[in-house]
Every structure is written in C-alpha cells, then in structure tokens.
Amino acid sequence: MASSRIGPIVLTPGVSRLNGYTFLLSAFLSIGLMTFITAGQTYILNAHLGVPQSAQGTITGDLVLFTEVITLLLFMPAGILIDRISRRGVFAVGFLMLGATYALYPLAPGVEWLFAARVLYGIGVVAVAGALSTVLVDYPIERCRGKLVAMVGVLSGLGVVTMNQGFGSLPEVLTLRGIGPVEAGLFTHLGVAGICVLGALAVRLGLQSGVPAHREEPPTVRTLFLSGFAQARNPRVLLAYGAAFIARGDQSVNAAFLILWGTLAGRAAGMTDAEAVMNGTLIFVIAQISALAWAPVMGPILDRMDRATGLAICMLLAAIGNLALLLLDDPYGDYRLIFFILQGIGQISVFLAAQSLIGQEAPSNQRGSVLSAFNISGALGILIITAVGGRLFDSVDPRAPFVVVGSINLLLFLASLYVRLRAPRPPLLADEIHGD
C-alpha cells in the first residue's frame, strides 16, 4: 500500500493526508486548550473570587494535585479504550470535557467549585493527552518520527501562544470596552469552550476510524492493563517513563508558576487584575515562542542519534533553563528574556526527546496502554512537583519549583547516559527504516 506524505513526513500505509492534517490541527488545539486552565484560573482567583495572594500558590498546586489524582485513576482505562475501540472517539470526548470545564469555571461561587470542575478537566486531559500521544506514534514511519514530533511541538507551541495570549488578554480588552471584570471572565471562558467543541468535531470527522490493524491476535483487556507496567522491564521504556515524569512536571510548573509569578509581581507593581494576568501570561508565552522556534531544530537532530543520547542532551538543556532562574530576582527585570527563552528551549527539548523515545519503543499492538503508562508517569510528575512546588512558591521563593525541576533534570541526564551505555538499541529493521 502506498504511503501518503505531509511535507517531509512519510505516513504509515493506510493513513491519509486528511488524517494527517486533522491530527496536526488536533496537536495545535490540544496543549493550548489544556494549558489555558492556568491563565483562566489565575483570573478567576483574582477577579471573581478575590483569593488572597498569599494563598494562591498553594491553591494552584492543590488544584493541579487533585487533577492528577483523577488522571492517575483514568489513564489506564482510557488507554484500553484507545487500543480496543477508537482513537478518535476518545479524542472527541476529551475535547468536550475540556469545553464543559471552561463553561463551568467562571460560574464558580467559591474555590470548592473549581475542584469540582477539575473532575471534568481531568477526564478531558486523560482522553486528549492519551489519544494525542497514541496517534503521534501511529501515524509516522520510524525514520520520520522525530520530524513529526517536532512538528507537533511547533504546533503545540503555536496553540499555547494563541490560546494563552489571545484569550489571556481578552479580559483586559473587554474591560477596557466597559464590560465588568466578572462578565469579561465569563465571555472569555465561553469562547475557549466553543473552541473545544470545534476540536471535538474535527477529530471525530477527520481522524482514522477504529484502531490500526495488526497481523497478530489483539491483546486481551488484562494484557493491555498490565502491558504498560510490564514494558518497564525494558530499561529504555523505563527511561522514557522517567522522562515523562519530568517533562510533564516541567510543562506544568512553567504553565502554573511562571504565570502566577508574573501575575503577583504585576499586582505588586500596581497593575489591575486583568493587566497583571495578561503580563504574567506573556512571560509564559515568551517561553512557548522560544520552544516553538527550537522544536524544528531539535526534532531532526533526534532522528540522527540514539534516542537515549538525545534525551541526555535535552535533559541538560532543561536543567540549564530551570536552574538559571536562580539568577533572576524579578520576572520583569533586566535580561529576563534570556531566562525565559532558555526555559522554553529546555521544556520543549525534553518533551520531544521523551515522545521520540517512547514512540520508538512502544509495541505496535499495545501502544495505547504503554502510552497510558507513559502518561501516568507524567501525571505523577505533575502531581508531586506542583504539590511541592506550590508550597515552596508560597513559603520559600517563587523560583523554588523551577529549582526542583532542574535538579531532577540533572538526575535524568545521568540516567540517560547510563541507559545509553548499558542498553543500546539494536539497529532498525528494514521495514522500520523504509516504512514498507
């Protein structure tokens, strides 16, 4: 069967250009829609609920922790559904759950409401992240995997910038036109909810139906449930799980605490709530733009080296980006752009390397389940790092969460070198190289 192409990327036989372009659209929407929760939540805490600044770091960390408990419980069942029933169906439901979250968030009468809405958000994250990761592994042939991961990284960065900067600045635009702060937050969140519905329709209509066909008998549900954990016997898969732990933790810390740090510093400087959130979001957006620019550089590099070696390089870049913030006292200080650019480069590098490694190592007929275990590891990273980071943010220093992440980056750098030396991967088979 002939293979379709999207630019330099050769798709697996049976995957059409429409499937490929729809997947790229879903990549643009997915991460942006998942990360906007932080900018929106920061606005809700300040403009809608009037939560004291001294408590916002802890509340932000606790909300993330609560979400990750939900995702830990649901990633494996979602992976089984992805493997046995439908990638696109799970994907569409995930977008709808994210939309329901954004419709409910601005109606919150208190912080407890935010925790309740996070149940829907957790379901949405599990479905969208699990389906996105699995389709990302399904669609390219092996020699093009790094390029597609890089393209997804670019589109994800564009989505994050578009959603967070576009909708993140919308409350200020609306308030300048005479709309009240609470109403501005409501209209902004309803707009994001509408984008979620459009995303659900796109993946439902444009992605490949069912699950990829395999020559062998499909695994049982029990096998799928256990396979993600059983595959950790492979040291390279275990390394990928460790990379997911810190990659997702790094993304969450950047989204949660860069925005919060910038917002609180802005309010301390006399900005209004809307101005402070917009400027705090801008800091996060700067990091994402640098990630967007770096992804096309790093992706092809990863295709030309052993994935464990690539992961080691990326962990070192991330450690530099996180630990360098110790030199930045004020998020609006001189030379701040350099620090946030380093942040973005490190974050996207670890994301690309982790996805490339697990994509190479996951068995074809158990991808959903192995990717679920990969995402469970990522959820644990978010849970632990943000819970600890939120308290350190409030009690020690706003930069403390980034120091935690940078220290773990250094440990994973050493682990990557160890796996590269002790568990080299056999040469690729001919069908992996050519996609035949």
Side-chain angles (χ1 to χ4, degrees):
M1 185 183 296
S3 297
S4 300
R5 301 179 69 101
I6 298 178
I9 298 166
V10 181
L11 300 174
T12 299
V15 178
S16 70
R17 284 191 181 89
L18 174 62
N19 300 149
Y21 283 119
T22 302
F23 172 66
L24 294 180
L25 174 62
S26 72
F28 172 79
L29 294 174
S30 295
I31 308 301
L33 289 172
M34 286 192 286
T35 58
F36 180 77
I37 193 79
T38 303
Q41 179 175 288
T42 302
Y43 187 84
I44 297 294
L45 291 175
N46 286 283
H48 288 229
L49 302 179
V51 174
Q53 293 186 26
S54 60
Q56 289 188 27
T58 298
I59 290 172
T60 298
D62 286 347
L63 282 164
V64 174
L65 186 151
F66 179 71
T67 303
E68 296 314 311
V69 170
I70 295 169
T71 62
L72 285 171
L73 296 174
L74 296 181
F75 261 126
M76 192 54 68
I80 293 171
L81 291 176
I82 290 169
D83 272 337
R84 299 281 295 196
I85 299 176
S86 171
R87 269 69 156 149
R88 71 180 188 181
V90 173
F91 219 153
V93 169
F95 275 124
L96 292 176
M97 291 297 100
L98 292 179
T101 304
Y102 289 122
L104 291 172
Y105 236 56
L107 305 177
V111 172
E112 297 77 11
W113 182 282
L114 302 183
F115 280 93
R118 281 278 185 156
V119 175
L120 297 178
Y121 177 75
I123 296 171
V125 167
V126 166
V128 170
L132 179 72
S133 298
T134 305
V135 177
L136 177 57
V137 174
D138 285 342
Y139 278 16
I141 64 171
E142 176 58 39
R143 65 181 170 85
C144 295
R145 189 175 310 283
K147 297 182 185 69
L148 183 58
V149 170
M151 188 177 291
V152 166
V154 170
L155 290 169
S156 297
L158 281 171
V160 168
V161 169
T162 301
M163 297 298 168
N164 285 273
Q165 186 61 17
F167 284 98
S169 61
L170 187 56
E172 183 183 20
V173 173
L174 294 175
T175 53
L176 288 175
R177 295 187 177 183
I179 296 175
V182 173
E183 290 77 12
L186 174 62
F187 295 151
T188 298
H189 281 77
L190 290 179
V192 177
I195 300 295
C196 293
V197 173
L198 293 177
L201 289 173
V203 297
R204 180 64 183 82
L205 297 175
L207 290 183
Q208 197 176 33
S209 61
V211 297
H214 303 287
R215 296 185 182 93
E216 64 270 24
E217 188 71 19
T220 64
V221 171
R222 181 179 182 276
T223 299
L224 289 173
F225 186 82
L226 296 175
S227 62
F229 305 105
Q231 288 295 323
R233 290 193 295 263
N234 177 346
R236 297 173 73 88
V237 171
L238 182 61
L239 177 63
Y241 290 171
F245 178 93
I246 194 57
R248 291 284 308 281
D250 197 354
Q251 287 177 334
S252 182
V253 162
N254 278 352
F257 297 116
L258 275 183
I259 294 174
L260 187 58
W261 186 20
T263 298
L264 297 183
R267 289 188 69 189
M271 298 179 190
T272 66
D273 289 336
E275 289 172 335
V277 171
M278 186 184 73
N279 283 281
T281 303
L282 181 60
I283 291 173
F284 175 61
V285 168
I286 291 170
Q288 295 308 306
I289 291 174
S290 66
L292 186 158
W294 181 250
V297 177
M298 197 70 226
I301 291 174
L302 292 171
D303 275 340
R304 288 172 169 79
M305 65 175 63
D306 185 277
R307 309 286 190 196
T309 302
L311 185 61
I313 294 171
C314 293
M315 285 294 171
L316 188 59
L317 289 172
I320 292 170
N322 282 297
L323 296 177
L325 287 180
L326 286 171
L327 303 176
L328 183 66
D329 294 326
D330 179 359
Y332 298 112
D334 295 335
Y335 309 112
R336 65 188 182 280
L337 289 181
I338 296 174
F339 294 94
F340 300 138
I341 288 170
L342 290 174
Q343 269 280 304
I345 288 173
Q347 175 194 311
I348 195 65
S349 295
V350 172
F351 169 81
L352 296 176
Q355 289 285 349
S356 295
L357 179 59
I358 196 62
Q360 184 181 65
E361 300 295 332
S364 61
N365 65 339
Q366 299 174 22
R367 281 175 181 162
S369 299
V370 172
L371 266 295
S372 291
F374 178 81
N375 285 321
I376 285 172
S377 180
L380 281 170
I382 295 175
L383 189 155
I384 294 170
I385 292 170
T386 53
V388 173
R391 283 156 176 77
L392 292 176
F393 184 100
D394 284 337
S395 62
V396 179
D397 191 282
R399 298 166 294 180
F402 305 98
V403 174
V404 172
V405 173
S407 301
I408 300 173
N409 288 142
L410 289 177
L411 294 176
L412 265 295
F413 164 71
L414 297 175
S416 300
L417 294 180
Y418 178 82
V419 170
R420 176 65 181 91
L421 294 173
R422 298 297 299 269
R425 193 175 195 270
L428 296 179
L429 300 174
D431 62 341
E432 291 180 301
I433 296 173
H434 302 294
D436 299 332

